Amino acid sequence: MTKNSYPEISIQTADFSLADEVALLEQDNAIDGAVVTFTGRVRNQNEGKNVTSLTLEHYPGMTEKSLEKIICTAKERWNIGRVKVIHRIGELHIGDQIVFVGVTSKHRQDAFAANEFIMDYLKVQAPFWKKEASKDGINWLDAKSSDESKAAKW
Amino acid sequence: MIKVVFFAALREQLNCSQLSLSSENLATVADIKEQLASKGENWQQVFASNTLLSAVNHDMVNSDQAIKSGDEVAFFPPVTGG
């Protein structure tokens, strides 16, 4: 199969197309019956504040390495086929897509679980930071302890 | 030499994105933190934080992690991507 040549990680400023990503997960992939995708978007509210925009910073090099490790662990734990993780950086606005995780597997349980696992670990291990602009000014977001406990449940 | 890099809120608090340190007398990440904390009030505050995260050569580590010349050491706040 061509699994190994499939580019699994993309850190980019540009937007992505859900339809295009699903097409790539499915292309020449007749062995997998399940395709599970997650898309994260910029919300208009966060902790009671009206958000106007977000700026995402990351640590080039470490971001890719940490995502590779998370994907590798997911492949050890579940019987999954293709994986794609896209994370955008730079300035984003309300409704913009931030993150995409797509996983294929023969049957749905593996793809559902692996997708959630990858997302939960991305939240607490991949070095991205959000800076939020609202009427109250510009602030770096604080990490949520609920994200730590979600990742710990795996 | 050891390359030290800072990200996000830390980078802004320190007004510094990277610096180089001589690896002499620096055996662990904790030694780097101690040396940098003595650079001034801002630095002391940043390195007193118990939520500060560290990475060596792109892997998350604890403060007792050994370091050597040529390593890239990073300090940053808890991550908030996704």
Side-chain angles (χ1 to χ4, degrees):
Chain A
M1 295 298 292
T2 55
K3 251 184 218 175
N4 293 335
S5 61
Y6 187 74
E8 294 184 319
I9 297 165
S10 177
I11 312 298
Q12 59 190 53
T13 52
D15 197 9
F16 53 85
S17 150
L18 180 60
D20 289 353
E21 294 308 323
V22 169
L24 286 166
L25 289 164
E26 293 177 346
Q27 193 173 54
D28 304 320
N29 183 7
I31 61 165
D32 288 331
V35 181
V36 172
T37 66
F38 170 82
T39 306
R41 299 164 68 231
V42 181
R43 287 183 301 149
N44 61 359
Q45 295 259 323
N46 188 39
E47 291 172 357
K49 280 184 287 187
N50 290 315
V51 178
T52 52
S53 70
L54 279 183
T55 305
L56 271 137
E57 176 172 331
H58 77 129
Y59 180 2
M62 180 169 173
T63 314
E64 291 81 355
K65 193 173 181 181
S66 79
L67 291 172
E68 274 165 25
K69 276 200 266 182
I70 294 167
I71 293 171
C72 191
T73 307
K75 286 180 173 174
E76 284 165 14
R77 289 189 59 169
W78 292 280
N79 186 8
I80 53 177
R82 290 185 189 169
V83 178
K84 179 74 182 227
V85 177
I86 301 173
H87 204 299
R88 293 179 69 195
I89 51 170
E91 188 177 326
L92 299 173
H93 298 93
I94 296 165
D96 282 353
Q97 304 185 114
I98 306 174
V99 60
F100 171 85
V101 177
V103 180
T104 71
S105 61
K106 290 189 181 68
H107 306 290
R108 71 182 182 282
Q109 285 85 352
D110 288 298
F112 269 132
N115 193 303
E116 194 177 7
F117 170 88
I118 291 168
M119 200 53 221
D120 284 352
Y121 269 83
L122 180 154
K123 280 269 191 188
V124 296
Q125 289 191 343
F128 293 100
W129 299 273
K130 286 193 190 105
K131 196 186 215 180
E132 187 180 82
S134 69
K135 277 189 306 206
D136 304 336
I138 297 173
N139 294 294
W140 289 99
L141 292 193
D142 288 325
K144 293 194 196 112
S145 57
S146 58
D147 285 334
E148 281 293 341
S149 38
K150 271 180 213 152
K153 79 172 191 257
W154 298 101
Chain B
M1 295 297 272
I2 291 166
K3 181 181 174 189
V4 185
V5 291
F6 307 97
F7 290 94
L10 243 74
R11 176 175 47 75
E12 291 187 351
Q13 277 169 271
L14 300 172
N15 195 22
C16 176
S17 57
Q18 72 171 72
L19 53 80
S20 293
L21 295 175
S22 156
S23 50
E24 257 178 86
N25 303 322
L26 295 175
T28 65
V29 169
D31 294 341
I32 297 181
K33 287 163 102 169
E34 200 184 316
Q35 183 171 322
L36 292 176
S38 68
K39 275 172 71 78
E41 201 177 319
N42 277 356
W43 297 78
Q44 199 183 345
Q45 265 175 20
V46 160
F47 287 96
S49 159
N50 55 10
T51 59
L52 179 77
L53 298 177
S54 323
V56 173
N57 300 331
H58 298 163
D59 285 316
M60 211 88 90
V61 297
N62 293 321
S63 288
D64 57 3
Q65 173 70 37
I67 45 151
K68 59 181 188 311
S69 184
D71 281 348
E72 178 172 307
V73 179
F75 295 105
F76 45 80
V79 303
T80 55

